[in-house]
Amino acid sequence: MSSTLVDRLRAGLPDGAVVTDPAITASYANDMASFCPAEPPAVVVLPRTAEEVQHVMRTATELRVPVVPQGARSGLSGAANTSADCIALSLVKMDRILEVNPVDRIAVVEPGVINADLSKAVLAEGLFYPPDPSSWEMCTIGGNIGTASGGLCCVKYGVTAEYVLGLEVVLADGRLMSTGRRTAKGVAGYDLTRLFVGSEGSLGIVVKAVLALRPAPPPQLVLAAEFDSVRAAGAAVCEIMSGGHVPSMLELMDRTTVRAVNSFAQMGLPESTEALLIAAFDTADPAADLAAVGALCEAGGASQVVPAEDQAESELLLQARRLSLTALEQVKGTTMIDDVCVPRSRLGDLMEGVEAIAGKHALTIGVVAHAGDGNTHPTVCFDAADPEESRRARESFDEIMALGLELGGTITGEHGVGVLKKEWLARELGPVGLEMQRAVKQAFDPLNLLNPGKLF
Amino acid sequence: MSSTLVDRLRAGLPDGAVVTDPAITASYANDMASFCPAEPPAVVVLPRTAEEVQHVMRTATELRVPVVPQGARSGLSGAANTSADCIALSLVKMDRILEVNPVDRIAVVEPGVINADLSKAVLAEGLFYPPDPSSWEMCTIGGNIGTASGGLCCVKYGVTAEYVLGLEVVLADGRLMSTGRRTAKGVAGYDLTRLFVGSEGSLGIVVKAVLALRPAPPPQLVLAAEFDSVRAAGAAVCEIMSGGHVPSMLELMDRTTVRAVNSFAQMGLPESTEALLIAAFDTADPAADLAAVGALCEAGGASQVVPAEDQAESELLLQARRLSLTALEQVKGTTMIDDVCVPRSRLGDLMEGVEAIAGKHALTIGVVAHAGDGNTHPTVCFDAADPEESRRARESFDEIMALGLELGGTITGEHGVGVLKKEWLARELGPVGLEMQRAVKQAFDPLNLLNPGKLF
């Protein structure tokens, strides 16, 4: 089959767009998730146009070959992992920003555009594309759409889903479909655009996107507050959010994370603290907002409240936060990054519960959280060469998801399901929900060729 | 069939919840759209619980009877209109606000809750439910979800879709399905929640909704600017929006609308103006924002710029705007309200095009617009007793939609498709898009019992 497949693909793709060299195809086998099976794909294709993507999908349909769409493969759930019989369809060469329109406040892009490149291009026009996953300097807009990415500024500006107005999609059989609009509003038919956001490439291949932009906000000013317990920090988050404040960022790092960041990058963060809360405002008078939030933190038992004096100090605090996951990776060599989101009123319960789970399994689990959204990343640090510790890591990871569901939360706030959380998706949705999800999949991909084995 | 149907329905519903009196059922035949066929339904049911809705749907499935879900029937596209063989399923008795949670910033409601009742209940907790269709004092949240309602404050705060986090839905066969979440973020599986928003009751019956809330903003201050042409007003809108301003409202009334409002309610609006732009800000310093926007309007040729001095004056201007459609109804007795949304850069083109269409057909067409969103409501005023004028009204209505599509817009920004715009939906979506929309419908409602004949 493989030589037929490659010949057919080459018939409609330019030289160099079909890669079969095992040394190269192997590097397309997986994203950044741990514990997810992956084999090198049969072939890697790197189309540059929608027509070339259509050729790939028509070929895949004719020959009944599975297709795994890929962006930068920076995902954390194995959604981009390949199997030996599949085509890895990498969209990274479709990386043109086709339009930035300040009047209509939209950008039109191909899926391979890097998030940071788009952010810079629109900032040059005084505009702002908010979704900012930690991987924003490498991840692609297509990947962001596939996983419905979040980020640090979601607490004020929302997630990727809020910014996708319209799509062009190549369907499983190779037909091209337009969804949505380039207008600010529109309700013509079912919202298939939003259905594609977060579908992990399992319903079709996004080849163009119309994205909503906002005016660039003023620079944000940042404050750090130290707490003696994660519960106290969680309570402060609730006070801030129920007090009518609208921070542009409200992040939390627990003691394990703070120490990891210090040890990785000598940031001089306060090691004696149990929880470090980082709040930011990009309002007209951020100093006033920070003063109000600082007072709330003090009333909530913060031992230290340190507003940044200027942009440079603000940037340093944000950098510490952004380094968290990389720093935690250094602790024991490997991490499993969970992504449990709970109603923010249950944040303290979740953080305490994770502490208890870490203790029970004698594991190091650092928690970094988009606290304002109740979206936590409990990060299990372990030695992958130690099978016994690896087993405990996996067990604790599952216990954290169970706790999240028990607290009224979800197993994934922004990283997606992929293969990592398939069993858990079924638990969260229940049998009726799962059946209807499968029915939607069947409607778009009756031959089950698009990223099979993911999500369900 | 009918007596079997009624007996079966009565077997699972309390006394009074099944209505067959023709004098009453006739009043459930239609919403507020013109030119949409409607017959009194075979029976009206008024369930009070999800279980009762399940009984209705199980009965409908067993007996293969179509079901038309209804809220306040204030819709403008005929989506709630009934046929003689159907069950009208009115959700208005399921009107409990189950929870308002300031920490999690959510409300949990039944579908029959009136928009204004929810707005008031959450405001008492310092919170804000933004979607505010003109009918907000009578329309229901279930209807808002079914039609993906917009409103005046969408330009800053977005539409209903942005505020629906999770749903409980009774499927066509009577099973209960949960979608979404009560957390701020979540990406567990396909976004079926958003798929239901705007589906006009054709995929399932919403029996509970988790809605996102925001902190109540400061009171807004309003400015009115008069222009000598709709094109100049449209250009000013573009300047305001590309200038980085974030108005909480940016509305436009053309001369026909201004005069209609004056004649209906003696508001003392400036009759000599061609276009009246109304801008509002609810920022920390709205007077400063209004001054900046006022200067932009003057630079753009505004003949008069009048900032409101205080809340009372602001409220008066908003009231004038809110009365527009009612006032236009008085002009000739009947209106057809279009809902074309274009990229805001094409607003001037659309407004001028509508003037030309009105001239060509010798008709009065008033345009009121959510100008900041490019969402216009060209409102054809005609005498329904005059068949020739009615024909021209219908023709001009269609020409306006064609113009909207030609300008890169959509046939419906916020009112939905219903029966009024079925043919136009097919034109906007194209054959592939339409086929996939039908495939989704088929997945949820294989017997085509839920609001058949709407949308497609």
Side-chain angles (χ1 to χ4, degrees), chain A residues 242-310:
Chain A
S242 64
H245 299 285
V246 184
S248 51
M249 207 175 280
L250 189 54
E251 298 283 319
L252 191 152
M253 299 161 70
D254 73 351
R255 188 185 44 171
T256 302
T257 308
V258 165
R259 291 184 176 187
V261 170
N262 273 348
S263 130
F264 177 63
Q266 293 77 48
M267 300 289 287
L269 299 175
E271 298 231 345
S272 62
T273 197
E274 287 295 319
L276 188 67
L277 192 64
I278 299 175
F281 284 85
D282 61 4
T283 48
D285 187 359
D289 288 304
L290 286 185
V293 161
L296 278 180
C297 288
E298 276 164 1
S303 54
Q304 279 271 52
V305 173
V306 187
E309 292 287 318
D310 53 25

Side-chain angles (χ1 to χ4, degrees), chain A residues 101-105 147-148 150-151 154 159 161-162 171 175-178 180 182-192 194-195 197-199 202-203 215 238 240-242 244-246 339 341-345 370 373 375 408-417 425 428-429 432-433 435-437 439-441 443-444 455-456, chain B residues 101-105 147-148 150-151 154 159 161-162 171 175-178 180 182-192 194-195 197-199 202-203 215 238 240-242 244-246 339 341-345 370 373 375 408-417 425 428-429 432-433 435-437 439-441 443-444 455-456:
Chain A
N101 186 323
V103 176
D104 295 334
R105 287 186 184 168
T147 56
C154 301
V159 296
E162 259 75 68
L171 298 175
R175 287 181 301 168
L176 190 66
M177 175 175 78
S178 289
R182 50 179 288 146
T183 52
K185 293 156 80 178
V187 293
Y190 301 138
D191 190 348
L192 301 187
R194 291 279 170 82
L195 188 65
V197 177
S199 65
S202 68
L203 299 178
C238 294
I240 293 167
M241 295 302 283
S242 64
H245 299 285
V246 184
D339 175 38
C341 190
V342 291
R344 70 176 68 83
S345 55
H370 308 305
D373 281 327
N375 187 189
T410 171
I411 56 160
T412 176
E414 57 182 10
H415 291 172
V417 174
L425 182 69
E428 178 165 339
L429 297 179
V432 180
E435 184 182 323
M436 294 322 297
Q437 298 253 336
V440 168
K441 165 74 171 168
F444 281 90
L455 281 165
F456 310 118
Chain B
N101 186 322
V103 175
D104 295 333
R105 287 186 183 167
T147 56
C154 300
V159 295
E162 259 75 69
L171 297 175
R175 287 181 302 169
L176 190 66
M177 176 176 76
S178 289
R182 50 179 287 146
T183 53
K185 292 157 80 180
V187 294
Y190 302 137
D191 191 347
L192 301 188
R194 291 278 169 83
L195 188 64
V197 178
S199 64
S202 68
L203 300 177
C238 294
I240 292 167
M241 296 301 283
S242 65
H245 298 286
V246 184
D339 176 38
C341 189
V342 291
R344 70 176 68 83
S345 55
H370 308 306
D373 281 327
N375 188 188
T410 172
I411 56 160
T412 174
E414 58 181 11
H415 291 172
V417 175
L425 182 69
E428 177 164 339
L429 297 178
V432 180
E435 183 182 324
M436 295 320 298
Q437 297 253 336
V440 169
K441 165 73 172 171
F444 280 90
L455 280 163
F456 311 120

